[in-house]
Amino acid sequence: MKILAVHGVNLNTLGTREPHIYGSATLAEVDAALAAQAGELGVELTSFQTNHEGAFVDFLQAEAPSADGIITNPGAWTHYSIALRDALAGTGKPFIEVHFSNIHAREPFRHRSVLAAIARGSVIGLGWRGYLAALETLVALLREERVNHPN
Amino acid sequence: MKILAVHGVNLNTLGTREPHIYGSATLAEVDAALAAQAGELGVELTSFQTNHEGAFVDFLQAEAPSADGIITNPGAWTHYSIALRDALAGTGKPFIEVHFSNIHAREPFRHRSVLAAIARGSVIGLGWRGYLAALETLVALLREERVNHPN
Amino acid sequence: MKILAVHGVNLNTLGTREPHIYGSATLAEVDAALAAQAGELGVELTSFQTNHEGAFVDFLQAEAPSADGIITNPGAWTHYSIALRDALAGTGKPFIEVHFSNIHAREPFRHRSVLAAIARGSVIGLGWRGYLAALETLVALLREERVNHPN
Amino acid sequence: MKILAVHGVNLNTLGTREPHIYGSATLAEVDAALAAQAGELGVELTSFQTNHEGAFVDFLQAEAPSADGIITNPGAWTHYSIALRDALAGTGKPFIEVHFSNIHAREPFRHRSVLAAIARGSVIGLGWRGYLAALETLVALLREERVNHPN
Amino acid sequence: MKILAVHGVNLNTLGTREPHIYGSATLAEVDAALAAQAGELGVELTSFQTNHEGAFVDFLQAEAPSADGIITNPGAWTHYSIALRDALAGTGKPFIEVHFSNIHAREPFRHRSVLAAIARGSVIGLGWRGYLAALETLVALLREERVNHPN
Amino acid sequence: MKILAVHGVNLNTLGTREPHIYGSATLAEVDAALAAQAGELGVELTSFQTNHEGAFVDFLQAEAPSADGIITNPGAWTHYSIALRDALAGTGKPFIEVHFSNIHAREPFRHRSVLAAIARGSVIGLGWRGYLAALETLVALLREERVNHPN
Amino acid sequence: MKILAVHGVNLNTLGTREPHIYGSATLAEVDAALAAQAGELGVELTSFQTNHEGAFVDFLQAEAPSADGIITNPGAWTHYSIALRDALAGTGKPFIEVHFSNIHAREPFRHRSVLAAIARGSVIGLGWRGYLAALETLVALLREERVNHPN
Amino acid sequence: MKILAVHGVNLNTLGTREPHIYGSATLAEVDAALAAQAGELGVELTSFQTNHEGAFVDFLQAEAPSADGIITNPGAWTHYSIALRDALAGTGKPFIEVHFSNIHAREPFRHRSVLAAIARGSVIGLGWRGYLAALETLVALLREERVNHPN
Amino acid sequence: MKILAVHGVNLNTLGTREPHIYGSATLAEVDAALAAQAGELGVELTSFQTNHEGAFVDFLQAEAPSADGIITNPGAWTHYSIALRDALAGTGKPFIEVHFSNIHAREPFRHRSVLAAIARGSVIGLGWRGYLAALETLVALLREERVNHPN
Amino acid sequence: MKILAVHGVNLNTLGTREPHIYGSATLAEVDAALAAQAGELGVELTSFQTNHEGAFVDFLQAEAPSADGIITNPGAWTHYSIALRDALAGTGKPFIEVHFSNIHAREPFRHRSVLAAIARGSVIGLGWRGYLAALETLVALLREERVNHPN
Amino acid sequence: MKILAVHGVNLNTLGTREPHIYGSATLAEVDAALAAQAGELGVELTSFQTNHEGAFVDFLQAEAPSADGIITNPGAWTHYSIALRDALAGTGKPFIEVHFSNIHAREPFRHRSVLAAIARGSVIGLGWRGYLAALETLVALLREERVNHPN
Amino acid sequence: MKILAVHGVNLNTLGTREPHIYGSATLAEVDAALAAQAGELGVELTSFQTNHEGAFVDFLQAEAPSADGIITNPGAWTHYSIALRDALAGTGKPFIEVHFSNIHAREPFRHRSVLAAIARGSVIGLGWRGYLAALETLVALLREERVNHPN
């Protein structure tokens, strides 16, 4: 089983950008924690970050066909990039949306996610632990479905 | 460390009410899974369900002072009960909001949570596993804060 | 065939509360008229009134499984109680919404029913006669369906 | 006592137009059922259908002065024809609005009736039986008022 | 002359819940101050608090017929409970709405009161002293009206 | 110089329909007053009334080419008939909109005129005298323009 | 009979300010035309212009008690000065609102008049002739009412 | 294969009405071009124009049963006539909506089509050529579907 | 201790302007009652009324520096004069907003106060007694704060 | 004559991405059909696709100066990329907007095109045939204009 | 060349009113800095401040005819005084709007300027330096235009 | 001291793109003017332009840490790119937003800047001179702050 962890715009500055909002963990640390957990769960994990919407789309088109599921924090694109929505829908794979901060406790324009309606679910406001919770739950859901629909 | 799991209106019918939306696990099974996980995490867990808004408030007033955190799925009250918001804010304890179904993929009136802005975070659309993810993450957050601010 | 007639908040004061709006018939008189008509139609009728949203939900959870249909006037809850909507949807039984007064000729907040979209239909502004019309029509619809889908 | 049953645009195709929404009864069958019920109730009934807004207005201006009440399903005009609203208001006679389908369970533009605020009441979603319920209730209301205000 | 002081949801925690918003006076202290002032004014005062919307309605139905006026702070219900509005309207007695904090300086959802349009008036943001101002003014208004309309 | 006076839906019932709103003058009386004033002003006047939107359009298409200006009260069509707006714009002739009642003192849906933005102006709330004021002013405007732009 | 003609902010620059919108007649010329027409009608006319909202209110409070009606073009205040609305309502005298330009053909914020709902009527877009039409009609209305209600 | 070309209100004045917006081709020329193209495509074409909403509905009810598809430009009705929407839906035949001018570059009320959601598609802003494009594409789509679903 | 009582536009006509809304007490009587109460409370009171927004601002700038608090009823300016809001905020002194009538039971544009968010609180709908309640409470609040923060 | 066909984000997956919505034709097939048609029409065609908004802009800046017109389907960017709007406007060349699916029959956020107001026109919901219709019509329009305005 | 610097309501308290928002420079200091810069630029400068909307209008009507341009900070009037907008438009002179604080980082009602659409431009959030930037740029623009259009 | 001048999408076409809106100065000329002014002010200036949102973000992440302030005109991204907002906020450096044209005098979607609330200020509608005004003021502000907070 293979999972993609796709990080969007500005997330490469995690840990230094506004740490009172986003915490002090760096993206490398988050990816390391995800890799460790993936190892424990016995799944393959590919992490990717980009500040370019087009590169995000390209990555999904290239990698999603060989993956089973996606966890993604698209950063600010969450709130307006219908291109990402279409790209995620186009993969046909289940994905979980993750946000470090509680977007509902911030500016009104952050309350709306253009992705949420087509996600399997979302984990919001739980910092880097939200990624681990999303990974663990996504793998469990995929395994359950594999059992129920073995092909 | 003590955690409250507070289930709101209509959640006692989990497993039988519209299972295509909410899944087939019963509330008793969810509570059992939570209890098992609480045992593994070494924390005390108290579960409570009610169809009465007032009883939900009474329970929080009575039990929150001796608890460290709360995970809650208020059901339909999520979308309008400012009374619950005030009661949760009044506890002064961190809480995580959980929803079985992906509320953003359903009717527009379910997209708004009157609680989300004061929650620590939320876990949406991941079925009963969302409860476990919320419990595990909440305990980790509380332990981290206890280390950082030992009193 | 068994029908529930469920009356919501403040309806126990029918006949005395603002009679220029709601008319002078008491709830006891409405229930008596319904019982008489149920007798003529050869169906069983159970009436219930409560000022407690939770008791309304409890009643539906307890009684709807053995009933065939519901007629209900939830009173002011009509306009905000998504909890009632979920409880009614959870019964899986057809229901008709009834309102004594013409809610569209009153304050704007009364124009919206959070239940209407999942009701079979609604009867509005026809006073206590609206209950009888709803009961008669609901029974006819259920009998027709029973003929077409005899199990 | 004379009652008008006025059917609006596209209702002449009842029974064949989108029967999954509007049912399989034809307008002729509905009018026959109404006529039969009118006979039982001892009232005179005049039915009329038109696809022309102006003809609807002309009919009301011509026939309403000699009638005691109106039941009407204006079809799609319900949602925008203020001309019909003014024509109905201009009759000075009580009327009940009837809709075959549950307009609140359909597209948002069908949720608004420009007539509802000046109707005596409305019967929605109960198919052709809604007409009978409207007729029976309207006659009862008119007879009651005649008793209370005998001139 | 008899006045009801009816306190709504979460007001039993006054003095301990978010004292930076609601002040440090407890509800018992507020009720004591009201009782003292009622004594000075020579009127009878009955205080009541509940976290149950239904109990609030029940209390009004039971007690309002023998009372002359009401002062009430419904707490969070202010913003959505049309059931309370109907119950207050149903008493036929004048009432004054009181809020400890300045609801217009807080979250937007607190700016709207579903009761205000049918209240005699409101006193907002003046802490526990707002209750006393409301009581004193309500009694004066009632006495003036009694003089002008002695029956 | 030739002026058209075009009266829309329900205006044939002027004088009998809701006289507390529209006054007691009949349309025949209004047309007679207009004819008399046209005589005094030395202009030709053609009056027309219809309850059919299509007939209103047909009339304008047929008569406007030989006319110099239009005064019109389209009745309820004012608020929604973009077809009339296009027909009036299509004439290329100046027109003045007239309303018997003060539409801004009535229901919100009457506050909007879909014609106003392309009218030369409007006269509102002045009863049948508004027609005379419109006719007199329109003729004066046209004569002034004829002087300034004699061809 | 005495009529007030009250001109609001910036109207003293009529004839020079944006003549493509407001025409080339000066306020003095408008007032002269009004005075001439008042002479013909046999009524007394007092004209007043100010750029100060407070002076507009002061004038109304001082002069309206001895006047029978008012014609007024408050200029830009039309769109926001609720103070003028209250002052006009406070006179208890009928008034007609006049606008030189067609406010519905200009910026959206000019479409709304905060006065229109309490005016007897309005004359819009007819230039200085609109004042004459308003004066003539107002006098006719007042005389008619004096005949019908001679005191 | 038979196609209907149904032209709505004011389209009979094409070529003379506001030619800077709608172009200088007359409706007769458009119909001739359509007829020629239909001949080339080997399909039967029936053209119809009316200024009467009801006649538009009548035509569809009468002719659509024997037709395979529809191209229509309802003119101003596009923006409000839900009656046409229902009539078109009632035919059960695919239709393409055509507009001469680019409705999105004009007044806001023209941006909304109440038909678009149930059309197969639309061709906007391409003048009379838009009709030819619609006809050619509709015929191709119908032939493709006939091949795929030969009955 | 010195308190300012600042009355806004049209309040000089209290007692005669629309007494069914504002009561029959004149402003002189209100000011006399305030002066008497100020005497009892042992505070200095300065009253001021103006119909000129600028004079209201000038007064605050001149007098507020030597005052301890303000009670104010700005009349219609309440709903739009951000200039008053800034002037009140600029004083740095606590103020209470007072309204004679219940603004929430009147036209929608009266429901919004542009001042409320920066007021200490507000007293609405209690007539002239509302002024007394505001004065008494403001003095009590200021004295309490003086005790707690004696400088 | 040279035409650009510019395809936006995610369109490179045409034929495989959600074929129930977008059809089974691949972008290569669409481009081949366009090239064939361009050949027949005797015009030069350059096709381009990118998932990068910036590359779309770069392409237009580089290629549009030597082109005569543009047909474009910007994919999801249609709904939010004002950058594309500015880039298209900046070319000064006429363009036609094409959409495979009927965007008005899908989610509300797809109903709005930020490009439509500056396009020559649009072709919506007609699948790959819409491209051909757009190309053919655009070439005809350009040739007609070249004839009318030969330089 | 002559420039007007017109300061609106409450700006005379600059330096003392809420200095955390508006800075500590007084209006006299701002005017002195403007005068010094005007001297360097070789232009005449007239400064004016008022708390009276009417005086602002009067000043513009009197002084603008002899001036070449205007810089203005109308204070709170920015957000609602359409009277100022009309007065500024009436001058026919270019003006630049200046705001000390960043109005977009404050309350929502400050985000809207009713003047901005007719200004040449605006300088926001740059404190007293914004005035200097506006003056310098306005003079440069006027000189450039004078060169290009020397009369 | 080092300042970044960051130009967004389509700004590389300045001088040729729609010069009636954006003027005839090219970006190279603007950058040369900025460089000259920076030389006079004794500060270092780095200019950058891109049509790629991601490159804009990359540039800020790379260059802002060594800079003291930013002036930026993001072009059309101003209105929707929350990614840029986050990137600018992430730098922790003050920035001034610049727009060539007066965005408030153009289409409504240009009135909103998603950056304005976190900018130090903005300069709008003053053409290329706005850049110089922004640079000069930013440097002055930074120097003042350096004096007040020397580290």
Side-chain angles (χ1 to χ4, degrees), chain A residues 9-10 12-13 17-18 22 51-53 75-77 79-80 106-107 109-110, chain L residues 52-55 57-58 61 80-87 89-90 112 114:
Chain A
V9 62
N10 288 310
N12 57 328
T13 59
R17 179 169 67 114
E18 304 179 281
Y22 299 105
N51 290 330
H52 295 250
E53 184 198 58
W77 291 327
H79 310 303
Y80 64 97
R106 301 179 66 195
E107 303 95 326
F109 64 78
R110 293 195 204 275
Chain L
H52 296 251
E53 184 197 58
V57 172
D58 288 345
Q61 290 184 356
Y80 64 97
S81 178
I82 302 171
L84 292 202
R85 178 185 170 120
D86 282 0
R112 189 177 78 112
V114 301

Side-chain angles (χ1 to χ4, degrees), chain J residues 27-112:
Chain J
L27 185 61
E29 291 165 354
V30 172
D31 277 338
L34 280 170
Q37 197 195 36
E40 285 178 36
L41 292 165
V43 300
E44 185 183 348
L45 183 92
T46 302
S47 287
F48 179 73
Q49 190 276 333
T50 178
N51 290 330
H52 295 249
E53 183 198 57
F56 195 110
V57 172
D58 288 345
F59 177 83
L60 284 174
Q61 292 184 357
E63 298 298 326
S66 64
D68 298 274
I70 303 162
I71 57 177
T72 183
N73 177 352
W77 292 326
T78 302
H79 311 302
Y80 63 98
S81 179
I82 301 170
L84 293 202
R85 177 185 170 120
D86 282 1
L88 283 159
T91 66
K93 302 294 163 65
F95 72 93
I96 295 180
E97 187 182 335
V98 181
H99 296 288
F100 268 74
S101 65
N102 182 352
I103 57 178
H104 298 295
R106 301 177 66 193
E107 305 95 327
F109 63 79
R110 292 195 205 274
H111 298 188
R112 189 177 79 112

Side-chain angles (χ1 to χ4, degrees), chain B residues 9-13 16-18 22 51-53 75-77 79-80 106-107 109-110, chain C residues 52-55 57-58 61 80-87 89-91 112 114 118:
Chain B
V9 63
N10 286 311
L11 285 166
N12 58 326
T13 60
T16 57
R17 178 170 67 114
E18 304 177 283
Y22 299 105
N51 289 332
H52 296 250
E53 186 197 57
W77 291 326
H79 311 303
Y80 64 97
R106 302 177 65 193
E107 304 96 326
F109 63 77
R110 293 195 203 273
Chain C
H52 296 250
E53 184 197 61
V57 172
D58 288 345
Q61 291 185 356
Y80 64 96
S81 179
I82 303 171
L84 292 202
R85 178 185 170 122
D86 282 1
T91 67
R112 188 176 78 113
V114 300
I118 59 164

Side-chain angles (χ1 to χ4, degrees), chain K residues 2 4 58-68 70 90-93:
Chain K
K2 183 173 159 191
L4 306 179
D58 288 343
F59 177 83
L60 284 174
Q61 291 185 357
E63 299 296 327
S66 64
D68 298 274
I70 304 163
T91 68
K93 301 295 162 67

